Amino acid sequence: MKKLATTIGLAAAGLVAGMAQAADEVTIQLKWVTQAQFAGYYVAQDQGFYEEEDLDVTIKPGGPDIAPAQVIAGGGADVIVDWMPSALASREKGLDLVNIAQPFKSSGMMLTCRKDTGVEGPEDFKGKTLGVWFFGNEYPFLSWMSQLGIPTEGGEDGVTVLKQGFNVDPLLQGQAACISTMTYNEYWQVIDAGLTPEELVVFKYEDQGVATLEDGLYVLGENLEDPEFADKMVRFVRASMKGWKWAEENPEEAAMIVLDNDATGAQTEKHQKRMMEEVAKLTAGSNGALDPADFERTVESLLSGGSAPVITEHPGDDAWTHAITDEALN
């Protein structure tokens, strides 16, 4: 009996020790499919940065039928990647999303047009069909058109908005004069399809003064009231930013890590390496903290563009951000 009791006691002690050593689980929902746009998270996992922070991270790829805000609202993720206009729209609908880190400093969004449609400048948009992404991605475009004074209901003095799928076919097939593209992705799909840079004209949202912040990390505000969850997010942000800076310094290796995690096999080495080089330009200069000036620029761009009901009032820094990044950096 004494031997049995000792055995049980040792087993229980081992179980407790195992429980104490168990890493904290974190699930992140990406905004899109596995690609170099999210390299920092895959690098952090591959290089052991999450493990160093005692985290067990599950990275969930997105897709055309996956809305990160809906996933986190339903309890399917602890943290999501989303664009700020989309996140602000979710807040307007009652979902208490809070920005805990902003790895992307600059916007990669563009409108890419065929020169043979007669588009040389924004003044040539009138009377044209323009491809626009929706699901929360349309707000910067609508703000831009509003600032230009161009209606989006069609007609000779307005533009016809084509609800663009996640491909470049409307431009290739002549269904639209311009389409939405990212500097790191769809633009190069157009080039790979046979059109040359000389046959295109691009309008970067950054250059047009209507750029909004993309690919921030968001959690539910109520969860941050739990000190254990907040501590977990501090460690997650610290490890993720370490992954992003590693990816910036080692773009080719980072692209290969992304490819290793692409379960679909749809991505190619050439495209991912090129994408990583472009994404590194957007994350450069960010330590993960949300720059108040960038935040104000995004909000004011949407407000001045008359993009209500996306934002009916300025949310204010206190309601929007949390000191997660500050703690992670110290």
Side-chain angles (χ1 to χ4, degrees):
M1 180 66 71
K2 183 176 181 180
K3 183 177 180 180
L4 177 60
T6 300
T7 301
I8 293 175
L10 289 173
L15 178 60
V16 171
M19 291 174 63
Q21 294 174 1
D24 293 324
E25 297 182 353
V26 175
T27 298
I28 176 173
Q29 174 65 62
L30 305 182
K31 187 172 176 63
W32 193 238
V33 299
T34 300
Q35 58 183 20
Q37 177 185 356
F38 312 107
Y41 312 112
Y42 289 110
V43 165
Q45 190 174 61
D46 181 84
Q47 295 296 303
F49 300 152
Y50 289 138
E51 186 177 1
E52 291 172 3
E53 294 288 353
D54 197 28
L55 297 174
D56 178 11
V57 176
T58 298
I59 304 174
K60 297 173 68 173
D65 300 321
I66 298 175
Q70 293 180 7
V71 173
I72 198 170
D78 299 299
V79 56
I80 63 173
V81 178
D82 207 350
W83 289 7
M84 186 171 283
S86 177
L88 284 168
S90 295
R91 280 183 63 87
E92 285 285 304
K93 296 174 183 176
L95 185 64
D96 185 23
L97 287 181
V98 175
N99 180 296
I100 60 168
Q102 188 60 49
F104 276 51
K105 176 71 174 176
S106 305
S107 167
M109 196 170 184
M110 307 190 298
L111 203 63
T112 296
C113 311
R114 296 182 64 140
K115 286 184 179 178
D116 60 13
T117 63
V119 174
E120 295 182 3
E123 65 278 3
D124 299 317
F125 291 157
K126 294 180 180 180
K128 302 293 194 300
T129 296
L130 309 183
V132 180
W133 291 319
F134 278 70
F135 303 104
N137 300 334
E138 72 274 23
Y139 301 126
F141 170 82
L142 295 176
S143 176
W144 184 17
M145 293 301 107
S146 178
Q147 291 186 38
L148 290 174
I150 299 178
T152 55
E153 294 82 26
E156 293 183 2
D157 294 325
V159 297
T160 298
V161 175
L162 173 67
K163 188 174 289 188
Q164 183 181 331
F166 295 96
N167 58 58
V168 298
D169 291 346
L171 192 71
L172 301 178
Q173 298 172 2
Q175 299 168 346
C178 311
I179 61 170
S180 299
T181 62
M182 302 302 291
T183 57
Y184 51 80
N185 196 1
E186 291 79 12
Y187 172 79
W188 297 103
Q189 292 178 21
V190 172
I191 299 300
D192 289 341
L195 290 175
T196 66
E198 292 72 28
E199 295 175 299
L200 304 170
V201 58
V202 298
F203 301 93
K204 293 184 177 180
Y205 279 58
E206 286 280 355
D207 297 340
Q208 301 302 315
V210 291
T212 54
L213 287 171
E214 301 161 359
D215 286 51
L217 293 177
Y218 297 89
V219 301
L220 294 179
E222 62 189 53
N223 290 341
L224 291 171
E225 298 174 6
D226 178 359
E228 291 185 2
F229 179 84
D231 174 69
K232 190 165 59 172
M233 289 300 101
V234 167
R235 288 179 281 136
F236 175 76
V237 168
R238 184 161 52 220
S240 296
M241 289 311 302
K242 191 173 181 180
W244 274 117
K245 295 307 149 183
W246 191 97
E248 286 178 21
E249 296 172 1
N250 306 276
E252 290 195 7
E253 293 89 337
M256 296 308 295
I257 290 172
V258 171
L259 281 173
D260 289 341
N261 284 275
D262 174 30
T264 68
Q267 305 294 355
T268 66
E269 181 176 337
K270 175 184 176 182
H271 188 54
Q272 290 309 301
K273 285 184 176 180
R274 189 166 54 190
M275 183 183 294
M276 187 62 240
E277 290 177 357
E278 293 297 325
V279 166
K281 298 175 184 177
L282 306 181
T283 58
S286 172
N287 62 1
L290 174 59
D291 186 330
D294 293 339
F295 167 71
E296 292 291 340
R297 181 193 67 192
T298 293
V299 173
E300 293 306 321
S301 174
L302 295 172
L303 284 172
S304 64
S307 55
V310 181
I311 305 176
T312 55
E313 61 181 346
H314 196 300
D317 292 351
D318 292 341
W320 182 242
T321 63
H322 194 272
I324 290 293
T325 309
D326 292 339
E327 295 176 35
L329 295 174
N330 294 326

